[in-house]
Amino acid sequence: MIAFKRNFSFIGPALLSAACVILALAATPVVAQETTGEPGSPSATTTIDGRYIPPPPQPFGGSIGLDAKDSTPAWPARVVPPKGAPNILLIMTDDAGYGVSGTFGGVIPTPALDRIASMGLRYTQFHSTALCSPTRAALITGRNHHSVGFGVISEQATGYPGYDSVIGVDNATIGEILKENGYATSWFGKNHNTPAYQYSVAGPFDQWPTGMGFDYFYGFMGGDTSQWQPFLFQNTTPIFPWIGKPGYNLTTDMADEAIDHIKKLNAAAPDQPFFVYYVPGGTHAPHQPTPEWIKKIGDMHLFDKGWNALRDQIFANQKQLGVIPANTQLTPWPDDLPKWDTLDADSKKLFTRQADVFAAYVAYTDHEIGRVIQAVDDLGKLDNTLIIYIEGDNGTSAEGSALGTPSEVITIQGINIPVADQLKFYDVWGSDKTYPHMSVAWSWAFDTPFKWTKQIASHFGGTRQGMAMAWPDRIKDAGGIRTQFHHVIDVVPTILEATGITAPRMVNGIAQKPIEGVSMAYTWDKANANTPSTRTTQYFEMFGNRAIYHDGWIASTTPPQPPWLMGKAAMPDVVNGYNWELYNLNEDYSQANDLAAKMPDKLKEMQELFLVEAAQHQVLPLDNSILERILAPRPSATAGRSIFTYAGKLSGIPTSDAPSILNKSYTITADVEIPQGGGDGMLVTTGGRFGGYGLYLLKGKPVFLYNFVDMARFRWEGQDALAPGKHTIVFDFKSDGPGFGKGGRGVLSVDGKQVADQNIPHTIPIIMPWDETFDVGVDTRTPVDDDDYQIPFAFDGTIDKLTVQLN
């Protein structure tokens, strides 16, 4: 291992190299414009050269006299894509490693992905960034994740250019480019690329999908959401489509919405190509398929023999399918994860249930994707549609801990639930009564044949994704396999080449950073099946774990702690404290044979190349903190405030723009008026079923309920119902902190008189449920206590003033 100096004197040459790229971009040839129809007529169309978007106004082509009778009208030509440009359906699922899908050797049926692979191509060396927000930012911009501000997820953003979670106006998305060139653009599903502190209805909305080039957005904000009661938006408006619909599930609703949208586009403008970005929540936790899918997969008994046997089965399948080389080695099972035959019967029962529900979610998600693909086919548009289907935005998630969990909100706090306690949720696992995740041992198996999981950018268990691509009119090697090394940043250039559209130099008057990806279109022809990859270099970095690929070699750091410890372990010096590994991928597909000790000069060369790439792409400064970045302050409407005042009813304020009571003392004061015969309803709440608090009136009695991540509920309640008229209700909490999750003393008072008082041993340490909101006078998502009330539980009196004071 070599020690690197901290002054990074090599940055100058790297920036010079970037400048050369910009100069090369300036030399982009002009694309000839095509005009159809009679100029000036309502039916006239034109393409644009695309270098400057939006294009300048077209000159008026008619004539103007004093009188309309002596004048000639002329309409500007409608902008359309180049002739023959295909529809684009870009699909990506969530948290699914290389061995998840049946298409790439897994045991879970994925017929929709099979369909795309059989009529197109499978790619066996395609890569993500190892984490969701970063992969998605890279995918829609064609630039590396740090280059567009997404070095980490938006909830961990810090004030550095590579990590601030702002894509920026100089990084136009593929949605913006296609829209300005005449495409109808839409986004369905997960949006994890808006800064977490900009989720509120107050905006700004320039970093929402509708502000990044997508005409229509139907989806949820953040890393994940309940599929039963999702944090859902239509464009920028919060919506609640599940209300009054028993059995509602977002996975089906999203497919219904996308199908309806595509049909309407076809009815309104059948010749206009569409770009649909379809990114369901599956299979990120919470794993919430429908009961029918859970039964269907459970009846297949795919996981009864355990995770070690599953790994062997996937490995054998992969070799049989040809999606790994014949000489691939199965990497060793980690020492700190138990082998299946060491487990007791209860553990096996629980863990099998976890895998069944996860697999049901995979199959269910793929099924709904298949419905969208079939809708395109039913309209007769499949042959001229480029479909790119990426299974997973990173490796399978290890965030469920070694034991799995009935609620991901619990493990995010660094808390493990014993098997015996989890078994109480066995029959409702996957329902809206759980927010579940599975044991990391399953995750490791689903990343076969590689080591590691999601979050680990240094190894392919975190970054290798199964991907299939089809375009029947153009890709003729149906069922072919491609082994070239590629990355999600290569998708945008591929789409641009397929459509004949130029990457813009300027967008809305802002000079654009160069596209950093390379097109994969050269791989489409069978004659080029074994052509060397045009991507010769690619860096990887996440939480300090890093790697550099170059010409068939990869140098990787050894992760100093596993991701299932959730950032609680001590970390080494991020610059000089990491060990490195070296692999020759031409002979070692799975990173099984470390050559670092045998080839120190080669390793040093690769390490230096990483630093050059890091400097060029805004990776610096390196940072291996995890929990600290979740808790770091960020710009928001709450920054610097300690007193928050509200009145009346309001709902839907995201936690990032609400007063945070975590790890501090606070006082909530509600000045209310109780009506005759009334006295029920929510006064203020944050969170819900899986953690949070609520101050409310129940049959006239004041209640403060603190829900400790669905593990314990602490209750303060007055004995007497409040009389009609005005009252002041106060809940005052004095924390035992400083420190994470400290307990404290809470006192509930009415009109200056104490009515309840108790000490609690602990509080939520890290984060409130991210798909719940701060509500006053109502509760809009899930209750903090199902036994007390059901949503919306609107207060039937008047809230004159509600104040939250943070101390």
Side-chain angles (χ1 to χ4, degrees):
M1 185 178 69
I2 64 172
F4 295 115
K5 295 181 180 179
R6 294 179 179 268
N7 61 5
F8 300 112
S9 60
F10 54 82
I11 291 178
L15 294 179
L16 180 61
S17 174
C20 292
V21 173
I22 294 172
L23 290 173
L25 180 64
T28 304
V30 177
V31 176
Q33 293 179 244
E34 304 170 356
T35 301
T36 63
E38 181 67 27
S41 70
S43 61
T45 66
T46 185
T47 62
I48 59 175
D49 71 35
R51 293 173 300 158
Y52 304 94
I53 57 174
Q58 299 173 30
F60 178 64
S63 63
I64 298 177
L66 292 176
D67 191 322
K69 295 192 297 294
D70 301 321
S71 304
T72 305
W75 293 97
R78 182 168 53 89
V79 174
V80 296
K83 185 178 180 180
N87 302 298
I88 308 293
L89 177 55
L90 176 57
I91 303 163
M92 185 167 66
T93 62
D94 205 332
D95 282 6
Y98 192 72
V100 166
S101 71
T103 314
F104 287 86
V107 300
I108 305 172
T110 49
L113 184 54
D114 289 344
R115 181 180 185 182
I116 303 308
S118 65
M119 69 182 190
L121 302 170
R122 270 179 293 192
Y123 289 77
T124 64
Q125 292 199 84
F126 184 80
H127 301 85
S128 66
T129 69
L131 200 60
C132 32
S133 280
T135 292
R136 293 161 190 272
L139 177 65
I140 63 174
T141 65
R143 301 166 177 96
N144 284 291
H145 54 304
H146 297 89
S147 296
V148 294
F150 269 93
V152 288
I153 58 173
S154 56
E155 292 83 355
Q156 293 174 304
T158 54
Y160 298 101
Y163 299 90
D164 60 12
S165 76
V166 177
I167 286 177
V169 294
D170 53 351
N171 295 301
T173 71
I174 186 62
E176 183 74 22
I177 297 169
L178 294 182
K179 182 182 78 168
E180 294 295 346
N181 279 273
Y183 271 78
T185 60
S186 55
W187 179 333
F188 296 89
K190 176 172 173 173
N191 169 29
H192 207 184
N193 291 126
T194 298
Y197 48 85
Q198 293 182 2
Y199 285 176
S200 82
V201 294
F205 298 114
D206 58 305
Q207 293 285 298
W208 286 54
T210 53
M212 294 191 289
F214 293 86
D215 295 316
Y216 183 71
F217 171 60
Y218 188 90
F220 63 92
M221 309 292 284
D224 65 53
T225 191
S226 167
Q227 298 297 294
W228 305 109
Q229 299 99 8
F231 185 41
L232 197 62
F233 289 80
Q234 187 172 40
N235 297 322
T236 59
T237 302
I239 56 174
F240 308 89
W242 69 85
I243 294 177
K245 295 182 180 178
Y248 170 94
N249 190 290
L250 176 59
T251 308
T252 294
D253 176 40
M254 199 179 96
D256 289 344
E257 186 70 19
I259 292 168
D260 182 65
H261 185 73
I262 292 169
K263 288 181 177 179
K264 287 178 178 177
L265 290 176
N266 185 65
D271 295 329
Q272 183 182 20
F274 61 75
F275 169 50
V276 172
Y277 179 43
Y278 192 86
V279 277
T283 48
H284 196 296
H287 303 156
Q288 292 176 326
T290 61
E292 295 80 7
W293 278 99
I294 294 174
K295 183 179 188 306
K296 181 176 181 178
I297 294 298
D299 288 347
M300 296 173 71
H301 299 283
L302 299 174
F303 308 107
D304 292 359
K305 295 181 181 180
W307 41 60
N308 299 107
L310 172 67
R311 200 163 183 251
D312 291 339
Q313 181 64 59
I314 293 173
F315 187 61
N317 293 348
Q318 289 171 334
K319 286 197 172 184
Q320 184 177 6
L321 288 172
V323 295
I324 63 175
N327 67 346
T328 301
Q329 297 179 58
L330 181 60
T331 52
W333 185 257
D335 293 336
D336 47 354
L337 292 179
K339 292 188 175 181
W340 187 260
D341 59 12
T342 67
L343 301 175
D344 60 33
D346 279 352
S347 296
K348 289 180 178 179
K349 178 182 178 181
L350 172 68
F351 295 147
T352 301
R353 180 67 165 179
Q354 292 174 359
D356 280 344
V357 172
F358 171 77
Y361 197 18
V362 172
Y364 173 40
T365 299
D366 180 83
H367 171 78
E368 297 299 330
I369 290 170
R371 290 179 55 226
V372 177
I373 295 169
Q374 185 59 45
V376 176
D377 194 5
D378 292 343
L379 294 173
K381 292 180 175 291
L382 190 64
D383 286 349
N384 196 34
T385 299
L386 172 61
I387 302 177
I388 301 173
Y389 186 156
I390 306 167
E391 180 74 347
D393 55 356
N394 41 243
T396 316
S397 169
E399 292 146 358
S401 84
L403 297 176
T405 180
S407 170
E408 183 195 19
V409 181
I410 296 173
T411 55
I412 290 292
Q413 319 292 337
I415 302 169
N416 288 330
I417 306 296
V419 167
D421 292 329
Q422 292 194 54
L423 280 171
K424 298 173 185 176
F425 296 91
Y426 184 92
D427 291 332
V428 295
W429 202 274
S431 75
D432 67 344
K433 299 300 187 288
T434 63
Y435 211 89
H437 204 327
M438 63 187 172
S439 165
V440 66
W442 289 121
S443 305
W444 196 286
F446 283 124
D447 291 342
T448 299
F450 307 111
K451 291 178 282 191
W452 295 105
T453 61
K454 174 184 176 180
Q455 296 189 25
I456 303 301
S458 54
H459 290 73
F460 294 144
T463 63
R464 182 66 57 82
Q465 312 304 143
M467 187 270 281
M469 188 186 314
W471 180 9
D473 275 354
R474 173 64 180 83
I475 299 174
K476 300 301 183 181
D477 186 19
I481 291 176
R482 296 296 183 265
T483 61
Q484 288 88 350
F485 192 100
H486 279 287
H487 189 272
V488 289
I489 62 174
D490 300 331
V491 169
V492 165
T494 304
I495 292 173
L496 293 178
E497 183 169 348
T499 58
I501 291 172
T502 301
R505 296 182 191 175
M506 299 187 75
V507 176
N508 294 315
I510 304 297
Q512 297 295 292
K513 291 181 181 178
I515 300 290
E516 294 169 353
V518 297
S519 173
M520 296 179 282
Y522 73 96
T523 67
W524 291 345
D525 292 334
K526 188 172 184 177
N528 295 332
N530 298 315
T531 296
S533 175
T534 57
R535 169 153 302 289
T536 57
T537 304
Q538 179 62 47
Y539 83 88
F540 299 85
E541 191 278 337
M542 196 64 62
F543 302 129
N545 282 316
R546 49 204 187 268
I548 182 73
Y549 166 85
H550 183 67
D551 285 344
W553 290 82
I554 192 165
S556 309
T557 58
T558 304
Q561 66 153 299
W564 54 90
L565 295 184
M566 308 304 292
K568 293 186 296 181
M571 297 293 282
D573 177 85
V574 72
V575 176
N576 293 318
Y578 281 62
N579 294 318
W580 284 75
E581 304 163 10
L582 179 68
Y583 301 98
N584 179 357
L585 298 179
N586 297 313
E587 302 174 357
D588 181 12
Y589 178 84
S590 61
Q591 294 176 295
N593 183 21
D594 180 11
L595 302 174
K598 295 179 180 179
M599 304 182 69
D601 291 342
K602 181 66 176 179
L603 177 60
K604 182 177 180 180
E605 170 192 325
M606 298 288 283
Q607 289 170 315
E608 291 174 348
L609 179 58
F610 172 82
L611 288 171
V612 172
E613 291 291 305
Q616 182 173 328
H617 298 294
Q618 300 185 164
V619 181
L620 307 177
L622 295 172
D623 186 350
N624 57 10
S625 65
I626 297 176
L627 294 180
E628 294 86 346
R629 283 195 272 185
I630 291 177
L631 298 169
R634 282 173 277 277
S636 76
T638 68
R641 295 173 59 190
S642 59
I643 298 178
F644 301 79
T645 302
Y646 309 92
K649 289 184 174 67
L650 62 93
S651 63
I653 297 178
T655 55
S656 58
D657 285 322
S660 172
I661 66 170
L662 296 179
N663 304 314
K664 59 176 69 73
S665 300
Y666 57 90
T667 303
I668 300 174
T669 303
D671 295 319
V672 302
E673 184 169 355
I674 307 297
Q676 292 289 337
D680 259 10
M682 182 60 65
L683 301 179
V684 62
T685 181
T686 291
R689 182 173 294 136
F690 302 105
Y693 69 87
L695 175 62
Y696 49 93
L697 293 179
L698 191 64
K699 297 180 180 179
K701 297 179 181 180
V703 176
F704 186 86
L705 193 291
Y706 190 90
N707 177 356
F708 180 70
V709 293
D710 203 27
M711 295 177 65
R713 284 173 170 80
F714 305 108
R715 185 183 188 90
W716 293 257
E717 183 173 5
Q719 298 303 307
D720 301 317
L722 302 187
K726 292 185 178 294
H727 297 276
T728 298
I729 303 169
V730 178
F731 181 77
D732 182 73
F733 184 79
K734 294 292 188 294
S735 171
D736 293 336
F740 293 133
K742 298 292 186 181
R745 179 180 181 229
V747 176
L748 180 64
S749 303
V750 177
D751 300 329
K753 180 181 178 182
Q754 180 177 311
V755 297
D757 175 10
Q758 72 167 310
N759 292 302
I760 60 175
H762 36 242
T763 56
I764 298 172
I766 304 298
I767 190 171
M768 288 285 188
W770 40 88
D771 63 346
E772 296 277 359
T773 56
F774 177 82
D775 302 326
V776 175
V778 67
D779 191 354
T780 54
R781 199 149 268 104
T782 63
V784 291
D785 191 333
D786 287 278
D787 293 334
D788 273 0
Y789 67 92
Q790 294 300 306
I791 62 167
F793 198 43
F795 180 50
D796 57 8
T798 302
I799 300 176
D800 296 323
K801 183 179 180 182
L802 188 136
T803 302
V804 180
Q805 180 169 344
L806 308 177
N807 301 312

